Amino acid sequence: SAVISQKPSRDICQRGTSLTIQCQVDSQVTMMFWYRQQPGQSLTLIATANQGSEATYESGFVIDKFPISRPNLTFSTLTVSNMSPEDSSIYLCSVDDGTVINYGYTFGSGTRLTVV
Amino acid sequence: AQSVTQLGSHVSVSEGALVLLRCNYSSSVPPYLFWYVQYPNQGLQLLLKYTSAATLVKGINGFEAEFKKSETSFHLTKPSAHMSDAAEYFCAVNTGAQKLVFGQGTRLTINP
């Protein structure tokens, strides 16, 4: 299955600033997903990113707040814009490398974001 | 719409005891079902999955789960708990839309 490198692993940011999270995959994948895990909560899908097209956002998430780039089949970024303390969460990227039946969806190790 | 319900946000068992984590799903089509584990300060690791083959699925670390269509359930079990099993466990469903819907999670605590 694919191996994902996610950066940064953690950060502490000032409110009003923006943070860009990177997700690098060791193989070409069609679909990449970005999730948010708020403290003590489950994972909620933010958006699905396909190469060469606009990301598809889930209800409650908007492009202005969470712009996503997907320049090629191995890389994606998620930006958390104009941050507030409510954005403090773990952000995880995930991929479907076409082997869901064998390996399930693979997740990055996450970015733990604290907004102060 | 698909959904997942995990009964019990927190389960506590003694070391060596049976572990049972409950998951019920809602889906209008045959689902793929997954159990993931999250250790503190780490990402998610796949424990096991059901993809319409055998209904009893064996995973890593001695865990297994049984898909019961009549009960719309996919409960996770392990015969004998180890201290290292303490973690957060997530059940998730996928119905071909190529994204996962997660349950609320169950925190498993192991008592010595």
Side-chain angles (χ1 to χ4, degrees):
Chain A
S1 62
V3 176
I4 299 174
S5 174
Q6 189 174 337
K7 297 179 183 178
S9 59
R10 60 178 61 232
D11 207 340
I12 301 173
C13 300
Q14 297 291 323
R15 67 176 66 201
T17 64
S18 297
L19 175 72
T20 295
I21 302 167
Q22 299 180 1
C23 183
Q24 178 74 54
V25 190
D26 69 342
S27 59
Q28 294 185 341
V29 296
T30 303
M31 306 190 74
M32 297 181 76
F33 308 89
W34 287 98
Y35 288 85
R36 181 177 71 181
Q37 185 179 21
Q38 294 178 297
Q41 302 293 317
S42 185
L43 283 79
T44 301
L45 182 64
I46 297 171
T48 302
N50 291 335
Q51 192 267 337
S53 63
E54 293 278 338
T56 302
Y57 289 82
E58 297 297 307
S59 176
F61 297 96
V62 296
I63 187 171
D64 290 346
K65 177 66 175 177
F66 298 101
I68 288 172
S69 76
R70 181 80 199 273
N72 56 53
L73 291 173
T74 64
F75 187 77
S76 179
T77 67
L78 169 75
T79 299
V80 185
S81 303
N82 188 25
M83 287 183 287
S84 67
E86 291 71 34
D87 294 319
S88 297
S89 297
I90 300 172
Y91 293 85
L92 299 104
C93 69
S94 175
V95 302
D96 171 7
D97 62 353
T99 62
V100 170
I101 291 179
N102 290 326
Y103 300 112
Y105 293 82
T106 302
F107 284 81
S109 55
T111 297
R112 184 179 296 271
L113 170 62
T114 302
V115 183
V116 297
Chain B
Q2 53 188 318
S3 65
V4 174
T5 301
Q6 291 183 239
L7 299 177
S9 60
H10 189 193
V11 171
S12 181
V13 302
S14 298
E15 190 174 19
L18 171 71
V19 175
L20 171 60
L21 305 183
R22 300 178 185 273
C23 173
N24 288 88
Y25 70 91
S26 173
S27 175
S28 58
V29 299
Y32 289 174
L33 293 159
F34 304 84
W35 275 100
Y36 283 87
V37 61
Q38 185 178 37
Y39 297 102
N41 300 314
Q42 295 189 26
L44 272 69
Q45 180 181 7
L46 180 68
L47 274 177
L48 50 79
K49 62 192 181 300
Y50 167 76
T51 56
S52 73
T55 56
L56 181 61
V57 180
K58 295 187 183 299
I60 63 172
N61 301 338
F63 284 94
E64 64 182 36
E66 185 172 8
F67 172 71
K68 292 186 177 181
K69 184 178 179 180
S70 61
E71 300 177 7
T72 62
S73 69
F74 191 57
H75 302 331
L76 182 71
T77 61
K78 181 174 181 178
S80 178
H82 294 172
M83 296 299 293
S84 60
D85 294 327
E88 188 88 18
Y89 291 80
F90 294 95
C91 183
V93 64
N94 164 267
T95 56
Q98 296 173 308
K99 60 184 181 183
L100 288 176
V101 174
F102 284 86
Q104 305 91 318
T106 298
R107 181 171 299 277
L108 177 63
T109 301
I110 312 297
N111 301 313

